[in-house]
């Protein structure tokens, strides 16, 4: 095997009958650059362990004609500067025939032998390979990700009130004893894990086809805007697939239960405090153009210290809505005013004030004021027997109401009586009969409103400082204001 003895910028040495070329010095030659490219493309060059020259450099490790991809080193040295391959008819530039010049054993050794190290790759290429193949840094364990991050913010929106509030989760509340059940909701005593206090849970059952009752939506929208000591507080709303739960402040009883425990009529001083708070709460919501439309003892909550709170705004309505859309099927029958009983839908705050008058007399006497039994006409009959049957002379337009026209034969004519004659206890209270008469007027335009009721002479014995209290402060925060012992209580057999 022969190599040209005088190659440019290189010297030749003879060893074991084979002429070998010395490694060039200085800058990288074209051959070295091609070596790098071939190393990436075709893998490492290898020689068998039996090769006596295996410890030589990569350039001297193979005979001169066993070069890269079958080309001799002379061929590579003569590559033109523009990168073109020289003409192939030069006998020294002919492609090397691997299959014809290597024995079978030699060919197998060359194909199967593996280099014991990576020296056949240039150091630069080895370094580049290590950079490319460097493994990614494993992710940190979850236990370390949140380590030392006590203020890590949650991104899930929990509450109907918005933000990252912890409210709005059903697991935040524990359901305890049932307190009462209505047509579409059940009220439970509950415990809040968020505030560590007892709450009332009003659980509304949802129908999959119908969704949330409109009364529940109305109650939530109104109560979120009402903040007053004499209006029950809505703390939270929890919405699940089956239920919609309102979380209210817990008040341990209502006026109906309070009167049952103290039957026979309440202490007159306590009645005055309850009435003042009732006027105060209604004045607040009426000034915000909200009608309760279901004022009755069951919807007036009484706290342990005697705070009265308006509750159950399921029938409440914003007065800004046109009045002709109102329904006459509002207010429990015993506390429904005569104009609504006769079919009027053109009502205002006077609707609630009639119920206040009925409750006032009931607290004093211990019995319902107008206890209708059968239907609306039976209820009207109970009212007209005491207050007299209305006529156009005293109530203009009453005979044109739908219920009045259809009630011919059912509405009887009665004379007017003084409330003090029917309920003598009203005369035992200073200005008591006057206040009751101001509230129980057949003509809705003549009924006293809540702000005027607060200034009635009936309350003149109360401290003047009560009128200066902020909305969210209780009247019992003033020194000397407290409930009296119910000394007139009698027990039922």
């Amino acid at each position: 095997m022969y190599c040209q003895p005088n190659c440019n910028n290189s010297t030749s040495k003879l060893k074991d009958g084979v002429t070998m070329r010395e490694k060039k010095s200085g800058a990288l030659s074209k051959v070295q650059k091609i070596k790098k490219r071939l190393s990436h493309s075709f893998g490492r060059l290898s020689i068998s362990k039996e090769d006596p020259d295996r410890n030589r450099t990569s350039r001297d490790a193979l005979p001169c004609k066993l070069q890269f991809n079958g080309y001799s080193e002379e061929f590579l040295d003569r590559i033109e500067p523009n990168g073109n391959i020289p003409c192939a008819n030069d006998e020294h530039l002919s492609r090397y025939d691997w299959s014809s010049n290597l024995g079978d054993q030699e060919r197998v050794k060359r194909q199967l032998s593996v280099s014991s190290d990576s020296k056949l790759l240039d150091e630069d290429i080895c370094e580049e390979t290590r950079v490319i193949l460097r493994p990614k840094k494993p992710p940190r364990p979850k236990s370390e990700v949140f380590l030392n991050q006590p203020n890590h913010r949650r991104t899930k929106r929990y509450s109907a009130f918005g933000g990252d509030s912890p409210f709005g989760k059903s697991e935040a509340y524990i359901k305890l004893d049932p307190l009462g059940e209505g047509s579409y909701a059940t009220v439970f005593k509950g415990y809040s894990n968020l505030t560590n206090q007892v709450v009332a849970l009003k659980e509304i059952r949802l129908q999959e086809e119908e969704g949330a009752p409109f009364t529940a939506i109305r109650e939530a929208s109104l109560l979120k805007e009402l903040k007053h000591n004499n209006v029950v507080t809505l703390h939270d709303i929890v919405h699940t697939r089956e239920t919609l739960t309102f979380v209210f402040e817990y008040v341990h009883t209502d006026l109906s239960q309070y009167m049952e425990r103290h039957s026979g009529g309440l202490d007159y001083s306590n009645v005055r405090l309850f009435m003042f708070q009732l006027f105060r709460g209604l004045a607040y919501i009426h000034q915000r153009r909200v009608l309760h439309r279901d004022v009755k003892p069951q919807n007036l909550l009484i706290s342990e210290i005697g705070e009265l709170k308006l509750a159950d705004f399921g029938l409440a309505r914003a007065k800004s809505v046109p009045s002709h859309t109102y329904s006459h099927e509002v207010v429990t029958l015993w506390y429904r005013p005569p104009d609504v009983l006769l079919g009027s839908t053109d009502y205002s705050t006077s609707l609630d004030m009639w119920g206040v008058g009925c409750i006032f007399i009931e607290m004093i006497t211990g019995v319902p004021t107008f206890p209708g039994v059968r239907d609306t006409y039976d209820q009207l009959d109970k009212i007209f027997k005491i207050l007299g049957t209305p006529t156009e002379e005293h109530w203009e337009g009453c005979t044109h109401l739908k219920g009045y026209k259809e009630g011919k034969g059912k509405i009887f004519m009665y004379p007017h009586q003084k409330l003090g004659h029917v309920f003598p206890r009203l005369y035992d209270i200073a200005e008591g009969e006057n206040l009751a008469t101001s509230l129980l007027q057949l003509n809705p335009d003549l009924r006293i409103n809540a702000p005027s009721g607060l200034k009635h002479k009936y309350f003149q014995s109360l401290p003047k400082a009560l009128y200066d209290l902020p909305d969210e402060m209780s009247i019992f925060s003033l020194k000397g204001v407290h409930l009296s012992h119910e000394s007139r209580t009698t027990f039922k057999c």
Side-chain angles (χ1 to χ4, degrees), residues 326-331 333 335-347 351 354 375-384 388-392 394-413 441-444 447:
Y326 289 176
S327 169
H328 66 278
E329 298 295 335
V330 293
V331 187
L333 198 63
Y335 308 93
R336 194 179 303 177
D339 49 313
V340 176
L341 288 168
L342 291 172
S344 174
T345 58
D346 185 18
Y347 51 75
L351 170 72
W354 175 273
D375 53 20
T376 58
Y377 289 103
D378 182 60
Q379 182 67 31
L380 284 169
D381 192 67
K382 295 288 192 301
I383 296 172
F384 295 159
T389 304
T391 62
E392 287 289 330
H394 300 94
W395 181 4
E396 185 178 356
C398 67
T399 58
H400 299 289
L401 293 174
K402 180 180 179 181
Y404 201 102
K405 294 178 180 179
E406 296 177 353
K408 291 182 178 180
K410 298 180 181 179
I411 296 178
F412 303 97
M413 302 302 294
Q441 290 288 325
L442 295 177
N443 186 347
R447 290 175 207 149

Side-chain angles (χ1 to χ4, degrees), residues 1 15-16 18 20 45-64 66-67 98 102 105-107 109-111 113-116 120:
M1 185 178 294
K15 184 175 182 179
D16 298 333
V18 180
M20 305 299 294
L45 297 176
S46 61
I47 59 176
S48 67
K49 293 183 178 180
E50 297 177 0
D51 192 336
D53 295 329
R54 68 180 181 272
N55 292 327
R56 296 183 182 182
T57 61
S58 61
R59 184 160 184 174
D60 296 331
L62 292 174
C64 63
L66 293 178
Q67 295 298 329
W98 287 80
L102 287 177
Q105 185 176 359
E106 180 73 6
R107 185 184 308 111
K109 286 182 179 180
R110 290 183 182 276
Q111 292 175 354
S113 62
V114 179
S115 175
S116 61
L120 292 178

Side-chain angles (χ1 to χ4, degrees), residues 230-232 278 281-282 285 292 299-300 308-313:
N230 298 121
V231 178
V232 68
L278 181 52
L282 288 173
I285 67 170
H292 189 280
N299 290 340
L300 302 179
L308 182 144
K309 297 177 182 290
L310 287 166
D312 199 345
F313 281 70

Side-chain angles (χ1 to χ4, degrees), residues 238-251:
V238 179
H239 186 200
T240 65
R241 185 181 296 273
E242 295 83 13
T243 61
L244 180 66
T245 303
F246 294 161
V247 183
F248 292 103
E249 63 174 316
Y250 176 75
V251 185

Side-chain angles (χ1 to χ4, degrees), residues 122-187:
D122 260 358
E123 292 181 0
D124 294 340
I125 298 178
C126 290
E127 180 64 25
E128 183 181 350
T129 304
R130 281 196 297 271
V131 173
I132 296 173
L133 301 180
R134 183 173 59 197
K136 294 183 179 180
K137 188 176 180 180
R140 296 177 64 188
K142 290 184 178 180
S143 59
E144 295 182 18
V145 171
F146 298 99
L147 194 62
N148 299 325
Q149 297 186 25
N151 296 326
H152 180 72
R153 295 188 64 193
R154 288 168 293 188
T155 57
K156 185 177 179 180
R157 181 174 175 148
Y158 291 117
S159 177
F161 296 95
D164 292 335
S165 170
F167 294 90
K169 301 173 65 178
S170 58
E171 56 266 28
Y173 305 98
I174 301 173
K175 189 188 301 182
L176 302 176
D177 303 326
L179 299 176
E181 185 172 0
S183 57
Y184 71 96
T186 304
V187 180

